[in-house]
Every structure is written in structure tokens, then in C-alpha cells.
Amino acid sequence: MIRINDIIDKITENHPDAELDIVDRAYIFSARVHDGQMRLSGEPYLSHPLEVAGILADMKLDSISIAAGLLHDVIEDTYATPDEIKNMFGPEVLHIVSGVTKLSGLTFDSSQTRQAESIRKMILAMADDIRVILIKLADRLHNMRTLQFHKESKRRKIAQETLDIYASIAARLGIYWIKKELEDSSFKYLDSEEYSRIESLVSEDKEGREKYLETVKDYIEKKMNEADLECEVRGRYKNFYSIYQKMIKQNLAFEDIYDIIGFRIILDRIPQCYEALGLIHALWKPVDKKFKDYIGVPKHNMYQSLHTTVIGPVGERIEIQIRTRDMDRVAKSGIAAHWSYKEGKSIDENMSKTFAWIQNLVENQADFRNPDEFLENVRIDLFPDEVYVFTPDGEIKSLPRGATPIDFAYTIHTEVGNQCTGAKINGRLSTLKNELHTGNIVEIITTKNHHPSKDWLNFVKTVKARSRIRQWIKIQEKERSITLGREMCEKSFRKYRLNFNALLKLEEMGKAVEHFGFKTVDDLIANVGYGKITPLQIIRKVTPKPEPKEENESILGRIISHVRKKKHRAGVIVSGVDDILIKFGKCCRPIPGDFITGYITQGYGVTVHRTGCVNALKMNPERQIDVEWNKNATETYPVKICISCHDRVGLLADIAANITKNGANILGLKTEILENKSAICFLTIEVKDAEHLHKIISAIKKVGFVYKVKRIDR
Ligand code: MN
């Protein structure tokens, strides 16, 4: 077991001026609260935080990180409270310890491993301080080193999670030695047979291999020196897991893998690198397509090097990397270059920015004299544009920031989205507009036969949700237009004693479809519904002879032109349908401001009634359709008013003057004189909306000898 003094020594070695008091206090506190707890190994629990702190010291981290490492399990596993940590060690230490505790709450089973990428991103996103991740990695590393004390089933689970998630995170952050160790130890527990086989194969001819390594190394050095290229040559072994991966991916037997050993040539300047490459290629035949120039075209994460594979002295393949000292330092300083190349993935822009940032931080770590300055730089927001949420089954979904339960519903299934009526976030009911946050568990409530709403388009964030909602609205519009168009056609055709549905099957109808420039009969009928084509136009097309009777045509023509004229008002929007024929009920004469409803009428589009209209109430509810006033329209509407007054000279003139003064037209007037010198006037006037009408009525009421003014239906 590592002792606190060893850790202190390591810290002073890396940071001679480091503040050690906080580390001492953290050690004492951790020892006190973990007192009496045991590891499965039988060691006192304190050994774990000590080992973790030791690993962090090896990573050359600062005192605050190491103190946090000593305390990383106290909130989760002891009676210590967050407030205590904050009071004793300050908000930074608490922030880091809380972050580690939060991550410890996440466990993933093997069925979720296909989501490894999302999980990795989520973990990185949840830790807003890079030190949280570094402690988590050190924690996992020590847990893997002591995994033999767990039960077999638990070992496998932890090893799989380590391989899928933590090894990759280490690779991404460029802490390559941790990545290798995590991979090899996971591999050992996941497939002990293969692991032992490769282990023994590698050690089998160790002596021969070492000799080979030295020979090739010396040979390269000699050739370089002959060409006046001063360099350092290094030979290295691949880790077991990489060898295993190579065997699987390329379907090779162990004997066929020659590049278990790779070579690296380090020089001073860039031109020397290309010179060295030329020399190597002159010595040994390069393997086609294996040459990569990451000096000319650096990787996104700033990694630079020349990579080549050649056929070596005994006919084996040799991997060689050539780079400058500076490039070598960058590649090792932390944020590794290796992962994208090894794992065959490309790095997105977000990631490369992060790499550049962390790389810079790691390289300049020594320059941060002021701890505040360092702290400011270790706060990270790796994926600012994404949130990660769970399904109730624990599946992770990645969504853009600001996404809502509707977006989530559509990522599950289009029908789940379409029938979504509610949502629960972390078990509590939520509105559909609520913004989701990383870590939320989201449950969608669906109702059969429920449909998407146009409003949803105002707040959904994903392209998928948006396009699915639009698609649904479009289909609905078309379906409604087809129904409407069909009714209109059936009715008009009947007038000419034609059977529309029978005609549909005939060749003439096909010609008509073509004539109007459509692909299908449905398109043609839908366009009748949209009001773009009249049934009469179709009738003319399908029955050129005999001509429709003059009289009928004129009646129909009149009706259609009448309807079309009305349509131009466009003062009303029919829900889900664009460009439809609209009429206003003569029975109730709706004006803007009135509550209205629409009814699909046999043949002529939609008739708009006031909600309370007796005729509207008598209509078949199945024909009912939602309508609303178009706020942008500037139409005027006829409305009837009834005025009770005393019959006096000039009264009508006064009333008329008041109406005109208020900007309305008088369309009609009828007066009835009653016996007792009183009179009733019925006026039809043209108004903009209910407010306009109200203004006029108030004005008329002020005219002398007027008793009562009210709006009437007919
Ligand atoms: Mn731990």
C-alpha cells in the first residue's frame, strides 16, 4: 500500500512550490471517515483513495486534484456531507468530488455497449471539470488492478464497461498508458484464454525478439548516421489487446503479425524527417498505401508524424513512425493522437477543438503559477450542443440542446411522436414544451388516434420531429382535400346525370388527369378540393359531347363564380388545409372577433358559422372542421343591426351620419313605423370586425331618441 509520504514526495518532485497542507488534511479526513471500512481484498478501505491519489500524482496533477482524489469516495460511501467538504476544503474540491460521485451513480450493462459512443460523450459532458474525468480514470484503474477480489459475474461486467467506455475516454484524452493498461486488464477478464495465449506467444521467443529489435534499431541508426542524420531510434511492443484486435480485424494468425514491434525515429527538424523517410524507403520496400504524411497534413488533434510500413530485412512488415522531438512531446503530452488512427474514426470539429484545448492545457500546465488561472482553464464544456437523456429502459438518446419531449418521442418511433400526448421527466409529469437536460429519464405518454399539432413546429428542435410533423400535416391536408374534392365532383357530375365514380375508371379520366398535368386521379381530385380546378372543367374534359346544357352551365357557373369570389376574401384559415373554398353562413353572418366553426358542405368547400348558430348546431358533427380568423386579412363583412327608436325628423340622417363617420358602409335599410310613433330600423352595414361593430353600435346609441341597438342574425 502506497503511503501518504510517497504521494507527498511525488507532488513536490513535480511541483516544488505545491501547497501540501490541503493534501495532508484530506488524508486525515479520509482516514477518519473511512475508518473501519474494508476493501474486498481485506485491506483497509483507505488503501483505495491512497492508490488513486498516487496515480493522480503520477499524472503530475495539482494538490487540489490529489486532495479530491483522497476524498473521491467520502460523499458516496461515508457519513461525510457535501457541506463538510466545502467548509473544510473549499468549493473546488467539493465540485470535483461531487462530479466523481455523480459519475459513480451511472452503471451500464453489456446490452448498452452498442451505445458506448453516447455513453462516453455523456460522461465527458457530465463532467464539466477535466479533473473529474482524470480522477474517475484513476479510480477505475485501481479498481481494475484489484478486480480479482470480485465475483466472476461482476468482474465481467466491470471489465466490459471499462473496455467499452473508460479505455476509450483515456485514449481520447491521450493518457495512453492508462488506455493500454485498462485495455489489457479488461481483456484478461473478458477472454482469459485468448489473453494467456497471446501472453505466452509474445514471451515465447522473447529473447529472439529482443535481439531482432536491437539489430533493426542499430541498423537504422547506422544508416541514418551515415547520411549525417542525427536521430534517436526506439523500438516498442504493442499491447496485448492491440495485437488481439489486429488478429481479429485482419483475420490473421499470431505468426502472421510481424509488427508486434514498431519503431520510432526521432529527429530535430522537419526536413530531416522526409530525408529519413527517403532513406528507409531506399533500404526496404514500402507497403503500398501504408504511407501517411501527418506532418504535411496534421490530424485534427494536432498530431504530427510520418507513418510508413516497409518489408523488413527478413521479409516481415515493420511499422515505422518518423517525427521531430517537438512532435513527439506533443503526441505524448496527453491528448493523444493515436485514438483516431487506431480506432479508425474521424474527429468532429467539436472534438478537435477540445483536443487542442486540453493539449494546450497539459503542455502548459507548468506555466500556471496561479491556481485560479489554472482552475479557470480546467472547466470544460466538451459538448455544449448536446444533451443525453435516458428512456425508462435505460437506453441513452442524444439530442440537441433545447430539445423537448416531442423530439425525444420522435427519436423512439414516428408513431410514438405522432401519438404523444404527455411526458414524464424523472417520474414527474411535464409539459411537452419542457427543455430536456442531460441525465433526465424521459417517459412518453401516448394516446391512440391522437395526432401531431401544428404548434409543435414552434418548439421542436430536431430535424426528424420537424419533418415528421410536417409530413403528417401534408398528408392530412391532402386527405381532406381529396374528400372535399370528391364530394364536389360527385355532386356536380350528378347534375349532368353523370356518375363520377363510374367515370373514374374510364380512359377519359386518365386523359383529364394528364391534361391538367397531374400524375394520379387523387392529385386531380385534391386540386378540386384546393379550389384550383372546378368540377365543371373536368366534366368538359371527360364528356366533350354532348355539351352540357346551357342553362345548367350558367347556374353552375354562377355558383362557382360566386363561391370563388367569396374565396378571395381569405379572411378565415381552415385548420390543416391551405387554399380552400370558403363561404360565410347567411344565417349568422360571422365577423372577425366572433367565435366561429366550419362545416364541410356538399360540393362547395367550407361554410363558416358562428359557434352558437342554430343551423351550425344542426350540422353533422363529422363534417365539422376547425377554422380561425386570419388576423392579416383586411376584408369587410356584412352584418345586420336592429335599432328601436322614436320616429322623429332627421333621425335616420343622424344614424347614417354616425355610421359613415365610423368608417362603415350602409348596404341596406328597412324601416317599420309602429303605431305609437316608435320605429324599428333594420340596417345592413359592412364592418371590419366585432370591435368595429361595437364602436358603431355605441355611436348610434348616443343619437337622440334611440332606445336600443342590437346585432341580429337575419
Ligand atoms: Mn473509488
Side-chain angles (χ1 to χ4, degrees), residues 39 45 48 52 72-73 139 143:
R39 292 279 284 176
Y45 194 91
H48 171 64
V52 168
H72 82 269
D73 277 332
D139 177 48
N143 285 337

Side-chain angles (χ1 to χ4, degrees), residues 108-120 160 164-165 345 391 393-397:
F108 308 99
D109 63 49
S110 55
S111 70
Q112 291 161 334
T113 53
R114 61 194 164 82
Q115 307 176 54
E117 180 56 26
S118 296
I119 297 172
R120 286 195 286 268
Q160 189 69 55
D164 289 335
I165 295 155
K345 281 178 195 156
T391 67
D393 299 336
E395 199 181 329
I396 292 181
K397 298 283 180 192

Side-chain angles (χ1 to χ4, degrees), residues 231-247:
C231 68
E232 185 192 328
V233 182
R234 293 182 206 143
R236 66 201 166 88
Y237 283 92
K238 279 205 160 92
N239 66 327
F240 294 170
Y241 186 68
S242 307
I243 295 171
Y244 175 65
Q245 284 291 100
K246 192 151 193 169
M247 287 166 69

Side-chain angles (χ1 to χ4, degrees), residues 262-276:
F263 293 90
R264 195 171 284 156
I265 307 172
I266 313 289
L267 300 110
D268 284 328
R269 289 174 296 112
I270 291 175
Q272 293 177 333
C273 295
Y274 288 97
E275 229 176 293

Side-chain angles (χ1 to χ4, degrees), residues 133-199:
I133 296 286
L134 299 179
I135 292 173
K136 191 67 206 161
L137 287 174
D139 177 48
R140 183 52 62 111
L141 191 64
H142 183 243
N143 285 337
M144 286 305 288
R145 284 175 183 172
T146 54
L147 197 61
Q148 71 266 30
F149 301 107
H150 279 281
K151 272 189 286 184
E152 159 72 18
S153 59
K154 195 140 191 215
R155 265 186 243 165
R156 288 196 66 84
K157 184 181 178 305
I158 294 173
Q160 189 69 55
E161 188 185 279
T162 303
L163 185 62
D164 289 335
I165 295 155
Y166 292 99
S168 307
I169 290 177
R172 273 184 195 203
L173 299 182
I175 312 161
Y176 203 58
W177 66 275
I178 292 188
K179 174 200 149 101
K180 279 185 176 178
E181 190 181 330
L182 289 178
E183 274 182 356
D184 277 357
S185 56
S186 308
F187 179 37
K188 191 164 110 189
Y189 288 105
L190 287 170
D191 195 341
S192 57
E193 242 171 68
E194 276 299 312
Y195 179 89
S196 320
R197 196 166 75 89
I198 292 175
E199 188 181 37

Side-chain angles (χ1 to χ4, degrees), residues 285-327:
K285 190 176 156 27
V287 176
D288 228 17
K289 288 176 186 162
K290 281 286 185 180
F291 168 65
K292 298 255 164 53
D293 181 358
Y294 295 119
I295 292 181
V297 186
K299 289 195 185 184
H300 290 297
N301 57 20
M302 293 163 75
Y303 173 83
Q304 288 186 295
S305 208
L306 298 174
H307 289 190
T308 188
T309 303
V310 296
I311 306 296
V314 284
E316 80 290 16
R317 285 170 174 231
I318 311 176
E319 265 186 11
I320 299 174
Q321 300 174 349
I322 304 169
R323 60 200 187 207
T324 65
R325 254 166 237 295
D326 276 348
M327 293 172 191

Side-chain angles (χ1 to χ4, degrees), residues 409-420 452 464 468-469 471-472:
Y410 277 102
T411 65
I412 294 175
H413 194 277
T414 301
E415 277 312 301
V416 175
N418 282 345
Q419 303 186 1
C420 173
K464 184 169 182 184
R468 292 295 188 277
I469 297 165
Q471 196 182 24
W472 191 88

